[in-house]
Amino acid sequence: AQANIGVVGLAVMGSNLARNLASRDGNTVAIFNRSYEKTRGVLDAHPEAGFLPAETYREFADTLAKPRTAIIMVKAGAGTDAVIDELVKVFEPGDIIVDGGNALFTDTIRREKAVRETGINFVGAGISGGEEGALNGPSIMPGGSDESWVTLGPILKSIAAVAEGEPCVTHVGHDGAGHFVKMIHNGIEYADMQLIAEAYDLIRRGTGKSPAEIADIFAEWNRGELESYLIEITAEVLRQVDAATGEPLVDVILDQAGAKGTGAWTVQTALDLGIPVSGIAEAVFARSLSSKPAQRAAAATLPGPSAAWTVDDPDAFVEDVRRALYASKIVAYSQGFDEIVAGAAEYGWSIQKGEIAKIWRGGCIIRAQFLNRITEAYADDPSLVALLTAPYFRDALAASQESWRRVVVAAAQAGIPSPAFSSSLAYYDGLRADRLPAALVQGQRDFFGAHTYKRVDRDGTFHTQWSGDRTEIEAQDTH
Ligand code: NBP
């Protein structure tokens, strides 16, 4: 046994991760793939890596020093279960199986429980950053036991991205905590992308600027508080010209957005937890709406605003959009962290929120300057109930909210869909409202279902006898 770490699954993610591991001092990497041709291919293409190949799971286990540590990078779902079943047969108590795929966190909870019965450690680790991240340094979100972190921590730290001198990996929490946090990362990513897309659309349709001119605006924004990977690549995409037609590439790409499902998981889980992640949900729904060509074609004849929309002062409008984007982005992150807090409470994880913001600063798709502000907010006040109320974000929202309103009004009047901008503003106004019409909803619920209500002026639970003389009685609390 000579390898301190192994990788199972040598498609693009696994082979890149194996190469990353092999390039760091102190690591010797065993590799295994279900079909051996892939293993041979990786071996031949990267002699510098010093990989130790295995043809069978047994040989793979024999190649690994104890405690054996292996990272699975195969197709999430049945593929992962199949590999776990095989590894459990050849590994021993104390060994560590890591699933680095995009597993649903509830699957990870189930697998961790089953594998733990054998005495083997199981760690679900979210790995973000795509192919490039896997090769050069991803952001890694491992769950699992404290015991496995002792062995795994140094290995993962050796390959993670580095942000401001710190590796972008931390022990997130037990069992499914890592995959849960990775799921939230992806949900925030959906919101961030949709918000940027809405900003582009409003500027283009409001000012008539070309994609290349808007690319310059995004490049400029990337030097300020919006600095992030997604803003940076947006400028690159907008600047790209299609070789075949000479048109901006963005104009020849079919406007139907795909999804692999992790955004939907974030929203489904939020619904179960009762957490309003409206910005993330609108981003998921915006992709669904875009991918309904028959409905879109049928609806194309529905009327829009009668008056043409013109922006009087393009520079002022662009600045308004920038502020609306920043404010909406704060809402998306605040909602995402709310879901982390709720998930941690539901599943019994102790998650350091400031550490999560830190490990997202490098390697992953939502990496951004802004994440430092989140870490600071939780460091200043660990019991912060909503990120958007932290002093820094409160000030940022105060400076942005008038712009945000102008942009949402303009979009509505112009008939330009801006679901993420407008739902984020509605969330902001809902949360800060002194009184909400939820009072009326409670009245309606009491009317048709005797669901009862509380009063603002005294304790107790009440019901109005709607079908009788409409007097109020004290009632059992039935919600
Ligand atoms: P794929 O998701 O395309 O999976 C291909 C790999 O799974 C191959 O090695 C294949 O072996 C193996 N595999 C399958 Br399929 N069924 C198997 C089974 N029953 N037993 C053993 N091996 C099996 O690979 P990927 O795109 O590299 O992604 C790997 C993981 O990383 C996924 O969970 C993905 O969601 C996650 N991820 C991907 C990205 C990305 O940017 N692509 C980013 C972040 C996370 P074979 O060669 O024998 O068919």
Side-chain angles (χ1 to χ4, degrees):
Q2 311 85 3
N4 65 315
I5 179 81
V7 175
V8 179
L10 299 174
V12 55
M13 288 294 287
S15 58
N16 278 1
L17 200 73
R19 288 170 60 199
N20 184 353
L21 282 159
S23 71
R24 313 291 166 155
D25 284 348
N27 288 334
T28 305
V29 186
I31 54 173
F32 175 83
N33 193 72
R34 176 178 59 176
S35 44
Y36 190 69
E37 309 90 81
K38 238 177 223 148
T39 309
R40 163 109 347 255
V42 169
L43 209 54
D44 290 348
H46 302 287
E48 79 288 350
F51 289 132
L52 302 180
E55 288 195 51
T56 63
Y57 283 104
R58 164 60 57 200
E59 201 187 323
F60 180 68
D62 290 344
T63 309
L64 286 164
K66 296 179 191 175
R68 297 183 185 86
T69 307
I71 305 179
I72 305 174
M73 288 303 279
V74 303
K75 201 173 185 62
T80 308
D81 282 317
V83 175
I84 292 170
D85 287 348
E86 296 299 326
L87 286 179
V88 164
K89 289 181 201 159
V90 294
F91 275 23
E92 292 170 297
D95 291 349
I96 303 164
I97 298 173
V98 184
D99 173 21
N102 262 339
L104 180 59
F105 75 96
T106 46
D107 284 342
T108 303
I109 292 174
R110 166 179 63 78
R111 289 170 181 145
E112 199 274 338
K113 205 163 164 236
V115 173
R116 193 178 348 121
E117 303 273 297
T118 68
I120 298 168
N121 293 288
F122 182 78
V123 176
I127 300 185
S128 174
E131 301 169 29
E132 200 258 303
L135 183 61
N136 297 318
S139 173
I140 312 177
M141 293 148 255
S145 65
D146 297 338
E147 181 194 354
S148 48
W149 178 243
V150 174
T151 306
L152 199 56
I155 297 171
L156 296 183
K157 282 179 184 167
S158 77
I159 57 164
V162 176
E164 298 172 41
E166 295 175 278
C168 294
V169 56
T170 189
H171 185 207
V172 173
H174 292 163
D175 54 63
H179 275 136
F180 184 92
V181 165
K182 170 62 163 51
M183 175 187 78
I184 303 293
H185 165 284
N186 286 28
I188 292 173
E189 174 185 313
Y190 273 61
D192 223 339
M193 293 170 70
Q194 174 65 21
L195 291 167
I196 291 171
E198 290 179 17
Y200 148 77
D201 197 31
L202 283 160
I203 291 174
R204 186 150 185 204
R205 290 162 71 170
T207 69
K209 288 181 193 293
S210 69
E213 288 170 321
I214 302 172
D216 291 341
I217 291 171
F218 277 101
E220 173 70 31
W221 289 359
N222 201 39
R223 288 190 278 275
E225 60 197 359
L226 281 170
E227 188 203 326
S228 64
Y229 172 72
L230 282 170
I231 293 280
E232 181 191 328
I233 66 161
T234 298
E236 305 239 358
V237 174
L238 289 175
R239 205 169 276 130
Q240 184 73 13
V241 174
D242 175 46
T245 59
E247 297 293 321
L249 179 67
V250 71
D251 286 348
V252 297
I253 296 177
L254 189 67
D255 60 344
Q256 297 178 15
K260 283 201 188 161
T262 49
W265 289 350
T266 310
V267 179
Q268 283 161 348
T269 304
L271 289 172
D272 290 340
L273 293 168
I275 301 301
V277 294
S278 45
I280 298 169
E282 288 297 349
V284 175
F285 287 140
R287 291 197 195 183
S288 314
L289 184 150
S290 78
S291 302
K292 296 282 175 287
Q295 283 185 314
R296 290 178 60 190
T301 53
L302 294 174
S306 46
W309 181 43
T310 50
V311 165
D312 298 332
D313 182 343
D315 289 345
F317 182 70
V318 167
E319 177 57 12
D320 275 352
V321 172
R322 189 189 69 79
R323 291 182 190 194
L325 175 55
Y326 192 47
S328 304
K329 181 174 161 128
I330 292 169
V331 166
Y333 279 73
S334 194
Q335 293 178 342
F337 276 89
D338 282 351
E339 189 169 343
I340 290 177
V341 170
E346 175 72 18
Y347 295 99
W349 301 317
S350 159
I351 298 182
Q352 302 298 313
K353 297 174 287 291
E355 289 300 306
I356 301 305
K358 267 190 179 180
I359 65 168
W360 287 348
R361 287 178 307 174
C364 65
I365 305 300
I366 64 171
R367 59 186 182 257
Q369 262 300 317
F370 165 87
L371 287 156
N372 280 317
R373 307 288 87 76
I374 297 179
T375 303
E376 287 160 12
Y378 284 118
D380 291 348
D381 180 3
S383 61
L384 189 63
V385 293
L387 192 57
L388 81 179
T389 62
Y392 177 85
F393 294 115
R394 184 185 292 270
D395 290 349
L397 289 164
S400 304
Q401 57 109 15
E402 297 286 4
S403 292
W404 200 4
R405 296 181 195 289
R406 281 194 292 272
V407 169
V408 170
V409 167
Q413 284 182 334
I416 299 173
S418 58
F421 274 179
S422 51
S423 77
S424 303
L425 178 59
Y427 174 87
Y428 171 80
D429 283 332
L431 214 51
R432 64 174 199 84
D434 178 31
R435 285 278 294 164
L436 287 169
L440 178 56
V441 171
Q442 284 297 83
Q444 293 163 333
R445 295 179 70 237
D446 189 57
F447 188 102
F448 66 67
H451 292 301
T452 75
Y453 51 85
K454 308 254 187 217
R455 297 184 54 100
V456 296
D457 53 359
R458 57 183 201 272
D459 288 343
T461 300
F462 302 91
H463 167 59
T464 292
Q465 295 174 298
W466 295 103
S467 51
D469 64 1
R470 304 207 165 180
T471 54
E472 183 179 77
I473 56 168
E474 277 232 44
Q476 291 288 331
D477 184 355
T478 60
H479 304 287

